[in-house]
C-alpha cells in the first residue's frame, strides 16, 4: 500500500515540477527541459528528479547548475501546490535513457540498411 502512495506522490511532483520549471523559473541558463521521472524515497525525505535536456553538454551542465541554484524556490512553489507535511529535498539528475534509445535506434537502422543492400 505504501508503494502505491509513493508512486502517486512521485507522479504529482513530476507534474508540478514540469509546470514550475516551464512557467515560473526565469533563469536564461535553463534550456528546453523535460522531467522524465521522479523517484521518491519511502519516507518522502528525498526525490530524485530525472531530466532530459536538449543541447550540448555545456548547456546541460549550465541547466543543472541553474536548477540547483533555484532548488529553494522550486521547493517553496511545490509546497504551495502540494499538501504535504514535508516537501522532499530535490536531487536533479540527467536521464540518459533517451540518448541511449536514440543510439540503439541508429544502430538498428544501420543494420537494416546493410541487410537491404545484400
Amino acid at each position: 500500500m505504501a508503494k502505491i502512495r509513493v508512486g502517486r506522490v512521485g507522479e504529482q511532483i513530476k507534474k508540478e515540477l514540469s509546470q514550475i520549471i516551464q512557467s515560473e523559473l526565469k533563469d536564461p541558463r535553463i534550456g528546453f527541459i523535460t522531467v522524465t521521472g521522479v523517484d521518491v524515497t519511502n519516507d518522502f525525505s528525498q526525490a530524485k528528479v530525472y531530466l532530459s535536456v536538449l543541447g550540448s553538454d555545456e548547456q546541460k551542465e549550465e541547466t543543472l547548475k541553474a536548477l540547483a541554484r533555484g532548488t529553494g524556490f522550486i521547493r517553496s512553489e511545490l509546497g504551495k501546490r502540494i499538501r504535504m507535511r514535508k516537501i522532499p529535498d530535490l536531487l536533479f539528475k540527467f536521464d540518459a535513457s533517451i540518448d541511449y534509445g536514440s543510439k540503439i535506434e541508429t544502430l538498428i537502422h544501420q543494420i537494416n540498411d546493410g541487410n537491404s543492400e545484400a
Side-chain angles (χ1 to χ4, degrees):
M1 196 67 168
K3 291 273 186 199
I4 296 170
R5 182 163 188 255
V6 169
R8 281 193 322 222
V9 169
E11 284 299 314
Q12 187 65 29
I13 289 174
K14 175 182 163 184
K15 179 181 147 191
E16 297 297 337
L17 273 178
S18 296
Q19 290 178 354
I20 290 169
I21 290 172
Q22 295 296 322
S23 62
E24 303 291 328
L25 284 180
K26 303 296 183 203
D27 196 326
R29 294 178 293 176
I30 295 178
F32 186 74
I33 296 177
T34 304
V35 179
T36 57
V38 176
D39 287 339
V40 183
T41 57
N42 288 336
D43 61 351
F44 301 112
S45 64
Q46 284 187 342
K48 290 181 185 174
V49 181
Y50 294 99
L51 306 167
S52 174
V53 180
L54 265 106
S56 65
D57 289 338
E58 184 179 311
Q59 289 172 329
K60 290 179 181 181
E61 290 301 321
E62 287 297 318
T63 299
L64 197 61
K65 287 178 187 175
L67 286 174
R69 225 183 135 105
T71 301
F73 172 75
I74 295 170
R75 283 188 69 207
S76 68
E77 285 295 313
L78 267 178
K80 294 175 188 174
R81 297 176 184 211
I82 298 176
R83 269 189 54 209
M84 287 181 68
R85 188 173 292 167
K86 182 181 183 297
I87 299 298
D89 293 328
L90 302 174
L91 302 171
F92 294 103
K93 296 184 178 255
F94 289 120
D95 187 7
S97 64
I98 294 174
D99 294 333
Y100 181 73
S102 64
K103 181 180 176 184
I104 295 296
E105 187 174 351
T106 56
L107 290 173
I108 290 173
H109 283 297
Q110 287 175 355
I111 291 170
N112 286 338
D113 291 342
N115 289 340
S116 64
E117 292 174 4

